[in-house]
Amino acid sequence: MKPIVTVIGGGVVGLATAYKLSLSNNFKIILLEKNKFLATETSARNSQVIHAGIYYPNNYLKTKLCVKGNRMLYSFCNKYNVGYNKIGKFIIANNDHQVQYLLDLKEKKSDFEIPLEFITQKKVLLLEPNLVNTKLALSSPSTGILDVHEYCQALEGLIRNNGEEIVTNTTVKNIKKSENGYEVDTGEFRYHSDIVINSAGLQAINVSNLLFNLGLKYHYCKGYYMKLNSSKKLVSRLIYPCPTVPANANLNSLGIHCTLDLNRNLKFGPDLNYMKEGEELNYSLDENSFTSEKKIKFYEEIVQYLPQVKVDELVVDYCGIRPKLSSATEFVKDFYIADESKNGFKNFINLIGIESPGITASLAIGEMVESIIKENN
Ligand SMILES: Cc1cc2nc3c(=O)[nH]c(=O)nc-3n(C[C@H](O)[C@H](O)[C@H](O)COP(=O)(O)OP(=O)(O)OC[C@H]3O[C@@H](n4cnc5c(N)ncnc54)[C@H](O)[C@@H]3O)c2cc1C
């Protein structure tokens, strides 16, 4: 009999992991998702960028899995006709301090084969004539944009075609260790699972705590986006300021950047709003949480590089919530990906704190989980 693998959570990470495991035909896989539809939480509320793996420390999984996942994702999209556009990105420096940041950044990433190229002020103006104040840009041609919805649909179809099960509207309410694995309890049914993969996103710590207290804590952090309510086509690639302004220096945010969707519509964000302890997780965009003061904050950051944007053209679009392991004052923490053998729970694999670049890294995360399982069994 094949070992039963339960994947908890049908966001992009759970789906990519279930897909990777389904390829070997070595497991019986059951993916459980609490919502009516798959991938409607963080996986539907993000920038949809295929990142290159530039910002985080070289030894972080965030870097390694992003660099690997970037290549895996492009080849997946080509193979299964998922919409993407490798439009590239400029990280722009508008003062000497930021120029130095870019020089250091390129140098630090030289161990990885990430295509990166400096673009002079003169050439920036030729390529992006609406940008102002740019002293130097670091171009990342392997950055792109993705239709995440299509990506998740493709993963779902492949998992089902490989004969595995996806069950929605089903919440994992309890997990107990049994003699040879785990009893997974959804309230409606309870069954044996040899291997459990916790990819419950914003709930991943709560799900892990069903079994044992891991001692980790989330610092939930909302990021809002604004779209440009105008048909102006101001840029043709993604534009990111340097994350060196004090609020972003600990890499908990990459700054109010400018991205495009596949229809070339401009949007700005996400900003950084740590939520209060115990605050309800919701995605509402009520006026109280989005005052004109915030609009002005966005505007002030944007016009430093795109002065054609008018404050009245900015319209609140949507928000997403980052499952952060670092507080506002700490340096950004890495993904937590671990089999919990060390805590006495072999074959219980936690995927916690999978914030950005989780979409880009998703297939590489799936591959890492597969190798953890191979090592274990
Ligand atoms: C503002 C923002 C911008 C981002 N931009 C990018 C970007 O441009 N590029 C990039 O690569 N990454 C980006 N990310 C990160 C990326 O969106 C996430 O890493 C990724 O979507 C996480 O996927 P997930 O499957 O772990 O989580 P989720 O998508 O949240 O999925 C987890 C699922 O688990 C389910 N679940 C929870 N508890 C249970 C339970 N008890 N039983 C059953 N199911 C359960 C939930 O309903 C949910 O569907 C961004 C994130 C944010 C917040």
Side-chain angles (χ1 to χ4, degrees):
M1 269 229 319
K2 292 182 195 174
I4 298 172
V5 178
T6 301
V7 178
I8 305 170
V12 71
V13 173
L15 287 166
T17 303
Y19 159 68
K20 272 284 172 197
L21 294 177
S22 74
L23 292 175
S24 68
N25 204 18
N26 284 336
F27 307 102
K28 173 69 214 146
I29 300 165
I30 306 169
L31 183 147
L32 302 177
E33 165 54 50
K34 73 173 166 58
N35 294 335
K36 188 171 173 191
F37 298 107
L38 297 167
T40 54
E41 303 242 356
T42 311
S43 298
R45 298 174 161 277
N46 53 70
S47 306
Q48 307 212 79
V49 173
I50 303 178
H51 287 294
I54 304 169
Y55 294 99
Y56 299 107
N58 287 357
N59 62 345
Y60 270 33
L61 289 174
K62 281 184 176 174
T63 300
K64 293 176 194 166
L65 297 175
C66 183
V67 172
K68 199 171 190 190
N70 171 295
R71 290 169 200 151
M72 293 170 85
L73 189 49
Y74 281 124
S75 74
F76 181 96
C77 291
N78 287 332
K79 189 164 174 192
Y80 297 109
N81 264 324
V82 173
Y84 78 89
N85 193 342
K86 213 181 209 181
I87 54 176
K89 144 171 145 180
F90 280 177
I91 311 174
I92 51 170
N94 59 15
N95 59 42
D96 291 344
H97 181 62
Q98 295 186 348
V99 166
Q100 191 56 50
Y101 170 82
L102 290 187
L103 295 171
D104 293 346
L105 193 61
K106 185 167 187 296
E107 174 65 29
K108 273 188 214 148
K109 293 293 148 191
S110 56
D111 288 354
F112 293 88
E113 281 166 19
I114 305 172
L116 287 172
E117 189 197 343
F118 284 120
I119 309 288
T120 59
Q121 187 172 35
K122 206 167 153 197
K123 200 163 165 208
V124 168
L125 284 175
L126 279 176
L127 296 169
E128 295 291 355
N130 290 317
L131 280 185
V132 295
N133 295 333
T134 306
K135 286 194 137 188
L136 184 73
L138 186 59
S139 164
S140 164
S142 62
T143 299
I145 45 176
L146 171 73
D147 186 326
V148 180
H149 183 66
E150 265 187 33
Y151 173 46
C152 290
Q153 277 186 328
L155 290 169
E156 177 189 359
L158 289 162
I159 295 166
R160 292 194 197 274
N161 282 348
N162 290 341
E164 310 305 343
E165 254 182 273
I166 294 177
V167 189
T168 54
N169 259 329
T170 302
T171 304
V172 172
K173 297 197 170 133
N174 212 347
I175 308 167
K176 282 204 162 71
K177 196 169 177 350
S178 64
E179 209 178 311
N180 302 316
Y182 299 91
E183 292 294 315
V184 178
D185 188 351
T186 68
E188 269 174 78
F189 54 91
R190 190 183 333 159
Y191 64 93
H192 168 83
S193 184
D194 298 282
I195 297 165
V196 176
I197 297 161
N198 170 16
S199 54
L202 299 174
Q203 301 302 329
I205 293 183
N206 291 339
V207 166
S208 182
N209 287 350
L210 293 173
L211 198 57
F212 72 105
N213 192 333
L214 189 59
L216 291 177
K217 179 179 152 72
Y218 271 153
H219 304 269
Y220 294 113
C221 182
K222 257 188 196 175
Y224 288 90
Y225 290 87
M226 291 214 180
K227 64 182 172 197
L228 192 70
N229 196 13
S230 137
S231 54
K232 288 178 193 166
K233 302 283 177 229
L234 295 176
V235 292
S236 54
R237 52 176 63 67
L238 311 181
I239 307 295
Y240 281 51
C242 285
T244 49
V245 274
N248 304 326
N250 60 6
L251 291 179
N252 277 317
S253 151
L254 299 182
I256 304 286
H257 47 260
C258 164
T259 58
L260 293 156
D261 64 22
L262 287 168
N263 297 318
R264 300 245 152 191
N265 298 313
L266 273 188
K267 65 173 187 266
F268 299 95
D271 66 352
L272 188 78
N273 306 272
Y274 273 90
M275 296 171 70
K276 291 191 198 94
E277 189 96 26
E279 192 179 331
E280 190 198 336
L281 300 180
N282 71 50
Y283 305 108
S284 76
L285 298 174
D286 61 67
E287 280 306 308
N288 289 339
S289 66
F290 226 96
T291 58
S292 52
E293 201 183 301
K294 192 183 263 300
K295 218 172 179 178
I296 289 169
K297 241 174 143 187
F298 263 69
Y299 170 74
E300 282 172 351
E301 282 204 40
I302 296 162
V303 291
Q304 286 180 34
Y305 56 92
L306 269 182
Q308 293 85 344
V309 171
K310 304 283 170 258
V311 72
D312 301 341
E313 294 169 338
L314 294 173
V315 178
V316 185
D317 201 2
Y318 63 96
C319 71
I321 302 177
R322 305 169 178 94
K324 280 194 173 296
L325 290 168
S326 45
S327 72
T329 53
E330 287 173 307
F331 186 72
V332 68
K333 289 193 179 154
D334 201 3
F335 294 155
Y336 178 93
I337 300 181
D339 169 75
E340 298 297 349
S341 297
K342 61 185 179 301
N343 289 307
F345 299 97
K346 185 175 168 188
N347 286 329
F348 183 80
I349 300 170
N350 266 325
L351 309 178
I352 293 177
I354 314 295
E355 53 168 331
S356 193
I359 296 165
T360 314
S362 54
L363 291 167
I365 292 174
E367 195 174 82
M368 181 175 171
V369 170
E370 190 179 25
S371 59
I372 290 174
I373 293 174
K374 267 192 199 146
E375 259 172 51
N376 248 357
N377 297 281

